[in-house]
């Protein structure tokens, strides 16, 4: 596909995600349903793009319920039982924007996105003038926040004795996470908690580097832990009381183990991605469940695949990729606000340190190797043969990139980025430096070989 990547459409608002594109996507998408909820994030360009999207949807015959400036999880929540469109570029810089499409609380899959792209290529046009849809404005934010708090209250313990720091990053978490945590009873210290689409406080993507000031803030206050969000509040990063970022797979393992142990079904399943740590498998298996993997950006596909093959005793209890969690008992969307609420309740029941103590944290590293987009396919084809030759002792899977697994629990994964000109290398091992060095060199050799062949 030319437009859709692993998380909807994203790009520069001058060269790609323009009002014209939003109009055309709206006209193509509006044919899919009678009613669409439409929301947008806090970026400077989002209101105008939302207007163009509304025009496209209505001119295709759809009724549009405009829910205003909200976190992406709020839009997903409101799309249950109908369709939805969110104008957001998530963690991208303020020069970008994007479009995500939902149906019944779940992001569109590859087949749906291919259908939309086909309609755009064919040249979607408005429906007959009598059939254009109407519009109204509805506030869903309060209902969503109450729903998150109500769901979290059934888990863990009472957080009334906890102090929780939240870095909203001038994004949409500002209107959701502090409010929900306060409703649960926690004392909340919120920073960058005003919505500003220029992201003056820090970059929109929460990383150990961009959260450096926040990490010092957590360490210098009496906060028990902290959360950092991206621009649209679907991602979450967790910081301990010392200001250290807890590895994303450790958080995933904590949540996966909790949901597995709490399940009533005898076959609880956690869906994750090939780059996720083996520590997740260890904790899920210890709790009596199993792990299924699906390629990045397709957690909803993995959930559907497991459910399609399920017995009466099978239940997908949780699904996640790093920093992006789907709490399946609450809904089918990635939700950083719900993650903050659930983790706060779990840490009230058992401390961060105690939950972390049972998790094996082998060294983990991710490296990006530059690779032109048009060279990715041939590079990966070469790696399917060269990597097994480099590591003849490894078990090899090529279902989602090239994943090599070793007898000592080490593994490495090589896959092309869906949004940037890189091939990603992921690795987990007690001897991480050697594994990363050998894998990265194999990738560089493959990229060079492809470039030489094209010269």
């Amino acid at each position: 596909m030319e437009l859709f990547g692993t998380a909807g459409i994203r790009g520069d608002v001058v060269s790609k995600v323009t009002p014209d594109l939003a109009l055309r996507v709206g006209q193509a998408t509006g044919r899919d349903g009678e009613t669409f909820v439409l929301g947008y994030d806090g970026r400077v360009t989002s209101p105008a793009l939302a207007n163009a999207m509304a025009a496209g949807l209505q001119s295709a015959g759809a009724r549009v319920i405009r829910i205003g400036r909200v976190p992406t999880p709020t839009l997903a929540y409101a799309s249950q039982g109908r369709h939805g469109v969110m104008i957001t570029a998530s963690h991208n810089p303020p020069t970008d924007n994007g479009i995500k499409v939902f149906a019944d609380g779940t992001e569109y899959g590859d087949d749906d996105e291919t259908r939309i792209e086909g309609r755009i290529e064919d040249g979607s046009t408005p429906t007959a003038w009598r059939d254009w849809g109407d519009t109204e404005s509805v506030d869903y934010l309060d209902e969503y926040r109450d729903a998150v708090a109500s769901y979290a209250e059934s888990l863990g313990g009472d957080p009334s004795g906890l102090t929780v720091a939240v870095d909203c990053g001038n994004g949409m978490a500002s209107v959701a996470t502090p409010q929900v945590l306060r409703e649960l009873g926690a004392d909340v210290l919120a920073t960058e908690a005003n919505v500003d689409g220029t992201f003056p406080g820090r970059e929109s993507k929460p990383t150990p580097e961009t959260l450096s000031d926040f990490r010092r803030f957590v360490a210098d206050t009496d906060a028990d832990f902290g959360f950092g969000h991206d621009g649209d509040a679907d991602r979450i990063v967790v910081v301990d009381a010392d200001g250290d970022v807890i590895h994303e797979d450790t958080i995933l393992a904590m949540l996966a183990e909790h949901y597995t142990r709490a399940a009533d079904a005898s076959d609880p399943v956690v869906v994750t991605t090939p780059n996720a740590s083996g520590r997740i498998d260890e904790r899920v298996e210890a709790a009596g469940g199993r792990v299924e993997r699906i390629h990045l950006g397709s957690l909803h596909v993995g959930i559907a695949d497991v459910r399609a093959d399920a017995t009466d005793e099978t239940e997908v209890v949780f699904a996640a990729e790093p920093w992006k969690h789907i709490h399946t008992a609450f809904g089918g969307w990635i939700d950083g606000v719900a993650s903050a609420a659930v983790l706060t309740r779990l840490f009230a029941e058992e401390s961060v340190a105690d939950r972390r103590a049972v998790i094996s944290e082998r060294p983990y590293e991710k490296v990006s190797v530059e690779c032109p987009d048009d060279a990715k396919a041939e590079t990966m084809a070469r790696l399917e043969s060269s990597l097994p030759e480099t590591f003849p002792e490894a078990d090899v899977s090529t279902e989602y990139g090239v994943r090599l697994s070793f007898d000592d629990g080490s593994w490495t994964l090589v896959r092309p980025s869906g949004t940037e000109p890189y091939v990603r290398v992921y690795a987990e091992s007690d001897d991480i430096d050697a594994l990363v060095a050998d894998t990265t060199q194999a990738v560089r050799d493959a990229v060079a070989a492809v470039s030489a062949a094209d010269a």
Side-chain angles (χ1 to χ4, degrees):
M1 291 184 288
E2 297 295 325
L3 285 177
F4 287 89
T6 56
I9 299 171
R10 288 187 203 167
D12 183 83
V13 296
V14 174
S15 61
K16 183 176 180 179
V17 187
T18 63
D20 176 64
L21 177 67
L23 177 70
R24 289 185 288 125
V25 172
Q27 287 180 335
T29 306
R31 293 164 56 183
D32 283 355
E34 294 182 358
T35 302
F36 282 77
V37 288
L38 174 61
Y40 59 90
D41 69 10
R43 293 167 188 270
V44 173
T45 57
S46 289
L49 291 172
N51 288 338
M53 175 60 67
L57 292 169
Q58 288 177 252
S59 66
R63 176 171 176 262
V64 176
I65 300 175
R66 304 191 64 159
I67 67 172
R69 193 173 67 174
V70 294
T72 293
T74 305
L75 182 282
Y77 170 85
S79 75
Q80 294 178 100
R82 52 197 171 192
H83 288 73
V85 178
M86 180 70 185
I87 304 298
T88 181
S90 189
H91 61 274
N92 281 33
T95 53
D96 289 0
N97 217 316
I99 301 167
K100 289 185 179 181
V101 185
F102 293 81
D104 195 19
T106 301
E107 286 187 50
Y108 264 29
D110 289 347
D111 291 343
D112 299 313
E113 292 171 345
T114 300
R115 181 178 66 252
I116 299 305
E117 290 206 13
R119 290 174 182 168
I120 294 172
E121 291 173 3
D122 292 341
S124 294
T125 57
T127 189
W129 66 271
R130 290 182 181 275
D131 298 326
W132 284 30
D134 60 4
T135 185
E136 66 173 311
S137 296
V138 178
D139 182 3
Y140 268 91
L141 187 56
D142 286 343
E143 180 181 330
Y144 164 75
R145 291 189 302 214
D146 289 345
V148 173
S150 178
Y151 171 71
E153 284 174 348
S154 66
L155 310 172
D158 180 2
S160 57
L162 294 178
T163 298
V164 185
V166 182
D167 185 335
C168 301
N170 303 119
M172 295 313 306
S174 303
V175 300
T177 297
Q179 294 84 349
V180 169
L181 298 188
R182 289 181 180 124
E183 185 174 343
L184 291 174
D187 182 18
V188 179
L189 306 175
T191 68
E192 311 300 345
N194 63 309
V195 179
D196 187 330
T198 66
F199 303 113
R202 61 164 169 84
E203 293 179 25
S204 178
K205 185 175 183 178
T207 67
E209 294 74 29
T210 61
L211 291 173
S212 58
D213 289 343
F214 177 64
R215 292 166 59 195
R216 284 191 290 271
F217 173 78
V218 174
D220 291 344
T221 64
D222 61 351
D224 293 283
F225 48 88
F227 301 124
H229 286 291
D230 63 344
D232 67 336
D234 61 354
R235 293 188 180 213
I236 187 171
V237 172
V238 185
V239 176
D240 67 18
D242 295 325
D244 295 326
V245 172
I246 303 175
H247 194 278
E248 57 262 39
D249 285 340
T250 295
I251 296 299
L252 203 162
M254 290 179 186
L255 289 166
E257 179 176 10
H258 165 76
Y259 280 119
T260 301
R261 291 195 185 281
D264 293 329
S266 61
D267 180 30
V269 180
V270 170
V271 175
T272 189
T273 50
N275 61 316
S277 168
R279 68 193 71 169
I280 298 157
D281 303 72
E282 292 174 1
R283 298 319 306 163
V284 170
E285 290 168 8
R290 60 186 172 96
V291 173
E292 294 290 341
R293 283 179 162 78
I294 188 71
H295 57 84
L296 278 163
S298 296
L299 291 174
H300 54 291
V301 176
I303 294 170
D305 288 348
V306 172
R307 287 173 173 167
D309 295 331
T311 69
D312 290 342
E313 292 302 318
T314 301
E315 180 185 356
V316 179
V317 296
F318 183 58
E321 56 187 78
W323 300 133
K324 299 162 72 173
H325 310 143
I326 297 178
H327 303 268
T328 51
F330 180 59
W333 56 88
I334 296 165
D335 197 326
V337 180
S339 291
V342 170
L343 286 167
T344 296
R345 295 279 304 186
L346 294 185
F347 293 156
E349 180 183 54
E350 185 178 0
S351 72
V352 177
D354 287 345
R355 288 187 180 273
R356 191 174 184 177
V358 299
I359 298 173
S360 301
E361 295 185 284
R362 296 185 185 91
Y364 181 104
E365 192 168 338
K366 181 174 76 172
V367 176
S368 297
V369 178
E370 290 187 5
C371 178
D373 287 335
D374 59 5
K376 288 176 181 176
E378 180 59 28
T379 296
M380 292 305 301
R382 287 176 179 267
L383 288 168
E384 287 186 11
S385 58
S386 65
L387 279 172
E389 292 171 0
T390 303
F391 301 99
E393 72 278 20
D395 291 330
V396 181
S397 169
T398 58
E399 190 172 8
Y400 307 115
V402 182
R403 196 177 200 274
L404 307 174
S405 302
F406 302 88
D407 289 341
D408 65 354
S410 300
W411 60 271
T412 184
L413 169 72
V414 178
R415 58 171 291 274
S417 169
T419 57
E420 297 178 290
Y422 296 111
V423 170
R424 311 286 194 197
V425 175
Y426 306 83
E428 183 176 37
S429 174
D430 290 326
D431 191 8
I432 191 69
D433 292 340
L435 181 56
V436 169
D438 291 345
T439 306
T440 301
Q441 188 59 53
V443 175
R444 290 196 178 105
D445 290 345
V447 173
V450 172
S451 297
D454 292 340

